[in-house]
Amino acid sequence: MPADRPKPVHVVAAVLRDARGRILLARRTAGRDLAGAWEFPGGKVEPGETALQALDRELHEELGIRVVGAEPLVAVPQAYPSKRIVLDVYTVTAFEGTPRGRERQALAWTPPEKLRDYPMPPADRPVVAALTSPARYLISPEPEDPAAWLAKLEKALKAGIRRIQLRARGLPPRALADLAMDARTRCHAAGAELLVNGEPGLAADLGLGLHLRSSQLMGLQARPLPPGQLVGASCHDADELAHAERLGLDFAVLGPVRATESHPGAAPLGWDRFAALREAVSLPIYALGGMRPADVATARRHGGQGVAGIRAFWPR
């Protein structure tokens, strides 16, 4: 990140839910940047304020409510043409009062699954993903014994994993298709998402998601599957992330964040570089490389969707 770039503006935002589980969005009024877009309510942190103090003040000014309890969700660094921000988002667990638009802004209580239907500023897209998509992305080891692999998959599903990549480069096509169909049945029963690594034809035929290798990603000129079928990609730098966003992919995996045994020669990015790369795009991004399930909170503090991995996620 160049030293002469302006410091990011610290902005807080709230995820407010009603008794039906709907989430509150506010529409940006005329005369503001990105007027007409929908966003999570909040505003700038003023000098001398903590994030929670700013959140309480902003929600009182905008909506007439007071924050009683809140928990951090994700902090998204995002670069715009004229400024940089860090969107520090909290889930409000309790509040006093009834939200109303005190600044004549339109409000909408929205089911989580409908959030993507609203046009939003770039920084809000990762927030929607944090609310609606899994925080852990399991990349499977090579299935040397398909039956044993499927047994481990069931254990992972029982442990709560809900987004899984079938990575099986060593299997013949027919064996891979059979394994993918068996895995699809198990994932569907558990309400989990299954993506296949590097096989767009198989993904299209079976109605599965697709995970692109970085070499495949850079050779594409269009999204390989229609909307509704997940497409993710492995990325290592700013160019690959930018191309994934241009193609309209659903998420990216970025790494290695830490040094790993599987890629001993790869220089780790570290968390600061991870955050700097995520700032340039609005894609949801998983951190990869030396990750553990407990690293979700750290990834979220740096704008990540969550964490991805093999060893620490696959049942023993």
Side-chain angles (χ1 to χ4, degrees):
M1 189 68 62
D4 59 349
R5 294 196 69 188
K7 291 183 178 181
V9 177
H10 190 185
V11 179
V12 290
V15 175
L16 292 160
R17 289 185 172 89
D18 67 5
R20 294 165 56 186
R22 297 178 303 173
I23 294 171
L24 184 65
L25 297 178
R27 196 169 194 180
R28 295 178 70 86
T29 53
R32 303 175 62 193
D33 292 343
L34 302 169
W38 293 86
E39 65 183 359
F40 299 94
K44 295 179 184 178
V45 178
E46 299 294 347
E49 283 185 320
T50 67
L52 288 176
Q53 288 171 339
L55 190 71
D56 178 62
R57 175 184 54 76
E58 286 285 347
L59 296 188
H60 181 64
E61 292 173 357
E62 293 184 17
L63 303 173
I65 64 173
R66 287 293 187 186
V67 175
V68 176
E71 299 174 350
L73 176 66
V74 63
V76 181
Q78 188 73 53
Y80 291 94
S82 60
K83 63 182 178 181
R84 300 168 63 208
I85 72 167
V86 173
L87 183 63
D88 199 358
V89 185
Y90 287 79
T91 298
V92 175
T93 55
F95 61 90
E96 295 176 344
T98 301
R100 62 188 189 280
R102 298 183 71 184
E103 298 175 347
R104 298 187 178 181
Q105 74 276 35
L107 302 178
W109 288 102
T110 308
E113 65 273 15
K114 298 291 186 181
L115 289 171
R116 290 184 175 88
D117 297 340
Y118 288 77
M120 292 184 176
D124 291 72
R125 181 182 177 192
V127 182
V128 173
L131 289 167
T132 59
S133 297
R136 295 176 293 165
Y137 182 29
L138 168 61
I139 303 168
S140 79
E142 289 289 326
E144 297 178 1
D145 178 343
W149 187 95
L150 287 168
K152 293 288 185 70
L153 172 64
E154 290 190 344
K155 288 182 67 175
L157 293 169
K158 288 178 181 177
I161 295 291
R162 290 296 178 263
R163 180 171 283 178
I164 297 163
Q165 179 191 145
L166 168 53
R167 187 174 183 271
R169 299 184 185 183
L171 285 182
R174 183 67 258 171
L176 175 58
D178 289 343
L179 182 61
M181 286 189 286
D182 286 340
R184 178 183 65 180
T185 298
R186 289 161 170 78
C187 288
H188 180 76
E193 301 162 341
L194 179 65
L195 299 88
V196 292
N197 178 287
E199 299 289 343
L202 181 62
D205 290 344
L206 298 184
L208 300 176
L210 172 66
H211 188 95
L212 296 167
R213 303 159 194 161
S214 57
S215 57
Q216 292 176 308
L217 166 70
M218 299 309 285
L220 291 174
Q221 298 302 315
R223 181 185 168 98
L225 294 177
Q229 279 184 264
L230 281 175
V231 183
S234 294
C235 296
H236 306 91
D237 57 35
D239 289 341
E240 291 174 354
L241 286 171
H243 194 57
E245 184 160 62
R246 281 193 296 271
L247 295 178
L249 303 194
D250 298 292
F251 67 90
V253 172
L254 177 62
V257 176
R258 297 190 182 118
T260 64
E261 294 179 10
S262 57
H263 297 86
L269 295 171
W271 284 114
D272 288 346
R273 181 61 179 159
F274 176 90
L277 288 169
R278 93 114 297 119
E279 180 180 341
V281 296
S282 63
L283 277 173
I285 301 175
Y286 289 95
L288 177 71
M291 295 293 106
R292 303 176 300 274
D295 290 319
V296 168
T298 302
R300 290 276 176 93
R301 288 197 299 271
H302 292 84
Q305 166 68 19
V307 292
I310 303 174
R311 288 177 178 82
F313 298 78
W314 189 247
R316 297 183 182 277

